[in-house]
């Protein structure tokens, strides 16, 4: 499940420019991206892509806390990481722990759950590796999820969940409605809880009187 192939057929190119192209393509032409950019066994570019998205998202959360301590911005309605007493070195280690350990573990465990959900309804499904890649690339909008705006966070996490449904439909050869049903739980884990979309949605509902 964690295989990185040396000479994959298809898949994504490596390097910073390839990461930027992938980010733009997944937002603009998701169906085409999933058809051409996901290859069996080629997890490396997808996992690097997810790590970069999480790096920017978590680093922006740390930056918001630092700017809020200086009175330059507000953290809004959210609980942000308590890094006021962290040294720069400890803050970097905390970021590395999230990127190197938490993100890949969450992606692989959630992809395994998705595979179990697909077993009874998708006889022509792709492999776990392709599910991992779909999940990683669907995170593209969540680059901005760390900013202190509940509206923005709801938007980007819902967008990411929608991309995940589209990718699930393409990779596992499912109608979009079935893909939405089978991808709902994994999407809730990654985008609702992982990127805190549910917290933002609940705050918005509460502020609207619900």
């Amino acid at each position: 499940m964690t295989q990185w192939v040396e000479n994959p057929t298809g898949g994504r190119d490596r390097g910073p420019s390839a990461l930027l192209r992938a980010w733009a393509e997944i937002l603009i032409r998701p169906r085409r991206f999933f058809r051409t950019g996901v290859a069996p066994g080629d997890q490396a570019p997808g996992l690097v892509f997810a790590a970069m998205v999480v790096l920017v998202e978590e680093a922006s959360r740390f930056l918001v806390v630092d700017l809020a301590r200086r009175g330059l911005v507000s953290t809004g309605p959210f609980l942000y990481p308590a890094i006021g007493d962290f040294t720069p070195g400890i803050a970097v280690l905390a970021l590395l722990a999230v990127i190197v350990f938490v993100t890949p573990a969450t992606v692989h465990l959630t992809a395994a759950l998705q595979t179990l959900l697909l077993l009874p309804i998708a006889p022509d499904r792709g492999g776990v590796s392709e599910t991992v890649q779909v999940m990683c690339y669907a995170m593209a909008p969540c680059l901005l999820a760390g900013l202190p705006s509940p509206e923005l966070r709801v938007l980007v996490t819902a967008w990411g969940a929608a991309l995940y449904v589209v990718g699930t439909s393409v990779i596992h050869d499912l109608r979009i409605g079935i893909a939405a049903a089978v991808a709902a739980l994994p999407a809730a884990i990654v985008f609702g809880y992982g990127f805190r979309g549910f917290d933002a949605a609940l705050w918005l509902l509460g502020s609207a009187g619900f």
Side-chain angles (χ1 to χ4, degrees):
M1 189 166 68
T2 57
Q3 177 186 9
W4 287 17
V5 296
E6 292 184 3
N7 298 300
T9 300
R12 304 301 306 172
D13 294 333
R14 275 66 166 166
S17 62
L19 287 173
L20 290 174
R21 286 199 308 273
W23 185 79
E25 288 173 16
I26 189 64
L27 297 179
I28 297 169
R29 294 185 295 269
R31 283 190 172 275
R32 176 182 171 185
F33 179 91
F34 287 122
R35 282 196 302 268
T36 61
V38 173
D42 190 26
Q43 294 187 33
L47 289 170
V48 171
F49 183 89
M52 293 301 100
V53 170
V54 173
L55 171 62
V56 173
E57 185 264 342
E58 288 296 306
S60 68
R61 282 164 49 79
F62 279 34
L63 179 61
V64 165
V65 173
D66 184 58
L67 294 176
R69 289 180 63 217
R70 303 179 190 182
L72 299 176
V73 301
S74 169
T75 59
F78 300 126
L79 293 175
Y80 271 76
I83 64 166
D85 297 325
F86 282 12
T87 64
I90 296 298
V92 169
L93 287 176
L95 276 174
L96 287 175
V98 171
I99 295 164
V100 175
F101 298 109
V102 177
T103 299
T106 301
V107 167
H108 281 100
L109 289 172
T110 310
L113 171 62
Q114 180 68 90
T115 300
L116 292 176
L117 295 172
L118 286 165
L119 284 175
I121 64 170
D124 298 323
R125 65 188 177 277
V128 177
S129 170
E130 288 140 294
T131 300
V132 167
Q133 293 172 68
V134 169
M135 194 170 292
C136 290
Y137 289 121
M139 296 179 186
C142 296
L143 201 73
L144 304 176
L147 300 180
S149 166
E151 295 86 359
L152 179 61
R153 188 174 298 177
V154 167
L155 172 64
V156 298
T157 53
W159 193 353
L163 289 174
Y164 181 63
V165 169
V166 171
T168 299
S169 172
V170 171
I171 293 300
H172 300 296
D173 194 23
L174 296 170
R175 293 196 301 272
I176 197 71
I178 296 175
V182 79
L185 180 56
I189 293 170
V190 173
F191 301 101
Y193 292 105
F195 285 106
R196 306 169 184 88
F198 287 156
D199 283 346
L202 289 173
W203 187 89
L204 288 176
L205 288 172
S207 65
F210 293 99

